Each structure stands twice: as structure tokens, then as C-alpha cells.
Amino acid sequence: MEQRAALEQLLFFNVNQHRVRLGIQQSIEIYGVPEIYEQDGGLRIRVGDIEGVQTLFAVSDIGRPVGVAVFVRLAHERFVVLHLGVEPRLRTTIDVNTLVLLKLMHEIRSAARRTRGVARIELVYKERHAVRLNV
């Protein structure tokens, strides 16, 4: 499946992962390893044995995954972004990957605002501590 290969590239073989390697390691140590699986004809991602993991996909006009955000609601009052992957910037693009990342975070923030009790979003990809984004 072509989409699965593109998603694996975003999540596991991303050439930019060295930039957030410590955050990736921290997320895996605390929450578990992400795994792509198929359900009801679509791709999903689970992380360790955590219940309620949600995934947002950004796709191109031709249906190719160009970004992914994996998050979960924890401790009732917060969303935790466990993993992020954005297609690496190509020399011919005008920083499209930054726009994709911002759109993914905007959608997570919108979901947090619609979810009763959620007061903040935490990004695990930070060397020493999660970044908190007030909702």
C-alpha cells in the first residue's frame, strides 16, 4: 500500500528526526513505540498500550500523507502530542512543511477547545520538558 509506505517514511524514517531525537526517545520511553495498523480500510497509529490515541493526517491533493500528528487525552485536562512527522522540505517548496505542522497543531487545538475539561496541550518533543500550549 503506497499510503502506508508514505506514512512509515513520515513517522519512522524522517530525515529530520535528528532535530528532535531526544524528544522522540522520551516519548517512546514514557508512552511506548508507535505502530501503524490497518482498521476498517484505513491506516491508524497506536502507541504502546495507551487507550484513546488519536491521529491527524495531512494529505496532499493526490491523497499522499504529508504530515501526521499522534496525540492522546491524558489526565482529563490535557492533550499530549506524542509524535509529529512532516514531509521534509524540498528545495522547490516554500516551507510547506511548516504550514503543514502549523495546520496540524491548529486542528489539535481546535479539538482541545471542543473537548470539555481540556485546559492545555503538551508537546513531548522537547529535550527537558513538554511545551505547554494553553487552549
Side-chain angles (χ1 to χ4, degrees):
M1 178 181 231
E2 186 178 318
Q3 291 180 336
R4 184 183 186 99
L7 184 56
E8 288 173 347
Q9 192 68 36
L10 283 174
L11 201 58
F12 302 122
F13 305 111
N14 197 311
V15 297
N16 289 324
Q17 67 184 340
H18 68 278
R19 296 178 179 174
V20 289
R21 178 170 290 135
L22 293 176
I24 293 169
Q25 290 171 339
Q26 178 181 348
S27 183
I28 289 171
E29 288 171 11
I30 296 170
Y31 301 105
V33 176
E35 176 187 356
I36 300 169
Y37 68 100
E38 293 180 40
Q39 182 180 17
D40 301 327
L43 295 174
R44 306 221 185 269
I45 298 172
R46 64 179 147 234
V47 178
D49 59 358
I50 299 174
E51 295 290 326
V53 171
Q54 299 181 53
T55 307
L56 283 176
F57 298 100
V59 294
S60 70
D61 293 339
I62 61 170
R64 178 181 166 82
V66 294
V68 62
V70 182
F71 67 101
V72 66
R73 182 178 185 180
L74 292 178
H76 190 68
E77 80 281 351
R78 62 191 167 113
F79 277 4
V80 177
V81 180
L82 304 173
H83 295 283
L84 288 168
V86 178
E87 189 171 86
R89 180 174 37 177
L90 303 173
R91 290 182 185 158
T92 58
T93 62
I94 303 171
D95 214 6
V96 172
N97 60 346
T98 299
L99 296 175
V100 169
L101 180 62
L102 290 173
K103 181 66 174 168
L104 288 168
M105 291 306 300
H106 173 77
E107 293 301 322
I108 292 172
R109 189 172 185 200
S110 293
R113 284 184 169 163
R114 291 188 308 269
T115 306
R116 176 178 274 172
V118 174
R120 67 180 192 250
I121 302 167
E122 294 181 4
L123 301 174
V124 177
Y125 282 12
K126 188 71 178 167
E127 288 182 33
R128 296 176 192 243
H129 63 283
V131 174
R132 290 182 179 86
L133 302 174
N134 292 331
V135 175

